Amino acid sequence: MSPFYETKQNRKNEKEIAAIAAKHFGWTAHHGKRGAHIDVMFKDGERVAALAEVKQREYLQNDFHTYMIDTAKVNFGAALAKKHEAPFYIIVRWLDNISYIEPAVAKLTHNALGGRTDRGDANDIDKVTHYPVDQFIHIIEGYRLKELDRICEKHR
């Protein structure tokens, strides 16, 4: 069994990013429990509007041609979203913007074996899917800093 790597900072980032996305779409964000397979359920009133995997990256969006994510996460999110008759999104906060993609309608570049090697955990290597970063739709481009700070402050 692999160690659990999600930190308090990861959860804080997820909440901030989800708050920004919720405001963008006009929905409310409901967070899964620590270790849940889905980070956020967005609701429009009582209706499930979307499910999302939320990520924070410490590089610029265009530093790489593709965004890599664990294929199992995408497949699980898509299957659960289908049950709710809602879309599944991958929402990413890069250093220069916040963007999202809907894997069901995106053109993936390829599947491969990949993952992290910096932790020395063989379980970090698995099947991954690559999506072109230019297919991501911007929520906030170039960070409108005052608005971003104001939204994040509510969720600290």
Side-chain angles (χ1 to χ4, degrees), residues 54-66:
V54 179
K55 297 292 186 184
Q56 168 79 34
R57 292 294 175 252
E58 298 302 322
Y59 50 85
L60 302 174
Q61 180 173 347
N62 290 317
D63 281 351
F64 300 95
H65 296 291
T66 64

Side-chain angles (χ1 to χ4, degrees), residues 58-117:
E58 298 302 322
Y59 50 85
L60 302 174
Q61 180 173 347
N62 290 317
D63 281 351
F64 300 95
H65 296 291
T66 64
Y67 177 77
M68 177 181 72
I69 187 166
D70 183 292
T71 302
K73 283 186 179 190
V74 174
N75 291 343
F76 182 86
L80 187 58
K82 186 175 182 178
K83 283 185 177 183
H84 287 284
E85 299 179 348
F88 170 69
Y89 296 134
I90 301 166
I91 304 170
V92 183
R93 177 166 60 186
W94 282 280
L95 293 177
D96 57 341
N97 64 61
I98 300 172
S99 305
Y100 71 96
I101 194 167
E102 184 179 354
V105 299
K107 293 180 183 174
L108 60 92
T109 59
H110 63 282
N111 289 315
L113 197 59
R116 293 183 67 159
T117 58

